[in-house]
Amino acid sequence: MGSVTEHGGRESEPRDVFRLPGFLAFWTAESVSGLGNQITTLALQVLVVVTLSGSATDVGLVNAARWLPYLVLGLVIGALVDRRRRKPIMVVTDLGRALLLGLIPLLWALDRLSVPVVVAFVAAFGLLSLLNDAASQSFLPRLVPRSSLLAANARLDQVGAVVQTSGPAVAGGLVTVLGAPLAVLVDAGSYLFSAVTLTRIRLEESTTQVRRASVNLWAEVAEGVRWVYRHRTLAPQALSTHGWFLFNSMLVTVFVPFVLVGLGLTATELGIALAGAGVGALVGSLLSTRIGMRWGAGRAVIAARLVMPLGWVVIALAPADGDRWTTVAVLAAGQLVYGFTMGAENANEMGYRQAVTPDELQGRMNTTMRSVNRAMIVVGAPVGGLLADTLGYRPTMWIALAGFVVVALLLAASPFRHARHDDGTP
């Protein structure tokens, strides 16, 4: 279906992106490595706690190491990626991640694995992931036309939602059957598969698309920051997203202890409740293209962020007494709404910011936003935990919910509400 433009015409719906040369290979690589990442996320935590007899603090250090490169090097990496062809970066970093993960079971077999070694490996893995993310998100606008970016991101979100729903179950089964160290080896294979698949993409990135190295790298970093935070529509979108990550990290931090301790449910019941988010995300991503074309990127994102708090209201009101499965159903319903809004929003947000950003600034735009978003997680997660320990789980949820509403209303009052996906089309 089409959507009415400001000039009274109708936008043509982008053709199925799977028919675009190279996109199927890109989608396949992202899908397989995404499933592998789900396996490693669970396997590493089990590895630290069970295999290495680590503490909760050790698990926290391992998780923090994953995002540390984004905080320290994110802006610089964006500038460096904009100087290089992006497909080779994706292939090399996938091979590097496969090698790193393959060494973990080897060191375990040699009795040379320890928590500090795992932390170091995860930090190195995070650096390679930072490079890969910057290149991947910046490569997509070269692979598909700007008019198809919304549909392309929606396709990626759809498989991401399936992985989010099924990944934990697959990971749990592999960890149970193979053990945590060998389960990590499966993820190593997924990155190797991804690297080989990416080499099949026949897209030559011309020399005109590669920036000549500047004498002053920091000038290029500053140029990317200025592009994001001085842009009429990207700036309010970026600031609102930073706030969203802050309050979302508080809610995500509180959710697990709220369910396990506050409501007294089991880990299995927690998993069932969390699966609701994956189902909702799949439905939202399936509808995201239609919503974005009809409403425009700005209104689609704003609507999703205004509805999202309702899912957490349902969760915050989950009964502590009574039938356990009723409580699980309430939690799953809240997660369903939460996942649906994220699925409907993400493709519209990503597609829009890729469409309005010039090719030579794609890497810096993506890493600027992602680095600050990750910084918000580093701040919000411990704040959420501290508030929960001090005030209780439900009061902390209401505080974060109020933050959700504020950042959504501020975005609705900004020029971003008029953003449309054809804003970046020449």
Side-chain angles (χ1 to χ4, degrees), residues 77-422:
I77 292 298
L80 293 175
V81 166
D82 280 337
R83 292 179 173 186
R84 300 288 185 270
R85 290 179 174 87
R86 289 155 190 174
K87 189 177 83 169
I89 295 175
M90 295 158 59
V91 172
V92 171
T93 52
D94 273 345
L95 291 174
R97 290 189 288 185
L99 177 61
L100 277 174
L101 294 176
L103 288 174
I104 288 179
L106 176 61
L107 291 174
W108 168 75
L110 296 174
D111 199 24
R112 292 290 186 268
L113 197 63
S114 64
V115 172
V117 170
V118 174
V119 169
F121 267 73
V122 171
F125 181 87
L127 176 59
L128 292 175
S129 296
L130 167 59
L131 280 161
N132 188 275
D133 289 345
S136 175
Q137 292 183 351
S138 306
F139 181 71
L140 186 61
R142 291 182 177 178
L143 188 63
V144 304
R146 290 182 180 254
S147 60
S148 296
L149 282 171
L150 170 59
N153 278 288
R155 291 298 191 188
L156 292 168
D157 284 349
Q158 287 157 19
V159 73
V162 173
V163 167
Q164 181 183 355
T165 304
S166 61
V170 174
L174 286 173
V175 170
T176 300
V177 174
L178 301 177
L182 292 180
V184 173
L185 194 59
V186 175
D187 192 16
S190 76
Y191 285 114
L192 181 61
F193 176 89
S194 176
V196 172
T197 303
L198 289 171
T199 61
R200 297 173 53 198
I201 299 177
R202 303 302 180 201
L203 176 68
E204 294 299 328
E205 299 178 87
S206 67
T207 55
T208 59
Q209 290 179 307
V210 180
R211 289 175 57 86
R212 186 172 59 187
S214 170
V215 176
N216 189 345
L217 178 65
W218 293 108
E220 294 188 9
V221 172
E223 183 183 13
V225 173
R226 285 196 300 270
W227 169 257
V228 171
Y229 295 109
R230 290 184 180 179
H231 194 280
R232 181 173 179 270
T233 52
L234 280 186
Q237 180 196 34
L239 293 172
S240 175
T241 302
H242 300 336
W244 184 92
F245 268 88
L246 174 67
F247 297 113
N248 186 69
S249 64
M250 293 171 61
L251 287 167
V252 170
T253 298
V254 172
F255 181 72
V256 172
F258 169 66
V259 173
L260 297 179
V261 180
L263 300 179
L265 300 182
T266 66
T268 300
E269 291 163 339
L270 169 64
I272 294 172
L274 286 171
V279 175
L282 177 60
V283 176
S285 61
L286 288 170
L287 297 175
S288 60
T289 301
R290 179 177 299 179
I291 294 172
M293 291 178 67
R294 178 180 290 274
W295 292 0
R299 291 176 181 174
V301 172
I302 291 167
R305 292 196 181 175
L306 287 173
V307 173
M308 187 178 293
L310 296 180
W312 284 99
V313 167
V314 172
I315 292 171
L317 295 176
D321 301 319
D323 182 69
R324 299 173 66 88
W325 288 109
T326 299
T327 301
V328 172
V330 171
L331 294 172
Q335 287 286 322
L336 183 75
V337 175
Y338 173 60
F340 173 81
T341 55
M342 285 198 299
E345 171 194 346
N346 189 65
N348 283 286
E349 181 177 1
M350 288 296 303
Y352 179 77
R353 75 190 203 194
Q354 289 170 340
V356 299
T357 299
D359 179 81
E360 66 272 13
L361 284 166
Q362 286 283 342
R364 284 167 286 172
M365 178 274 293
N366 283 313
T367 53
T368 295
M369 288 192 176
R370 287 176 67 87
S371 296
V372 180
N373 289 342
R374 271 54 187 179
M376 293 298 102
I377 296 176
V378 173
V379 173
V383 168
L386 180 62
L387 288 175
D389 289 338
T390 305
L391 303 176
Y393 301 124
R394 296 182 199 266
T396 302
M397 287 184 182
W398 293 118
I399 292 172
L401 276 167
F404 261 173
V405 173
V406 169
V407 295
L409 291 176
L410 289 176
L411 186 63
S414 76
F416 182 70
R417 66 183 182 276
H418 301 301
R420 300 192 64 84
H421 286 288
D422 58 358

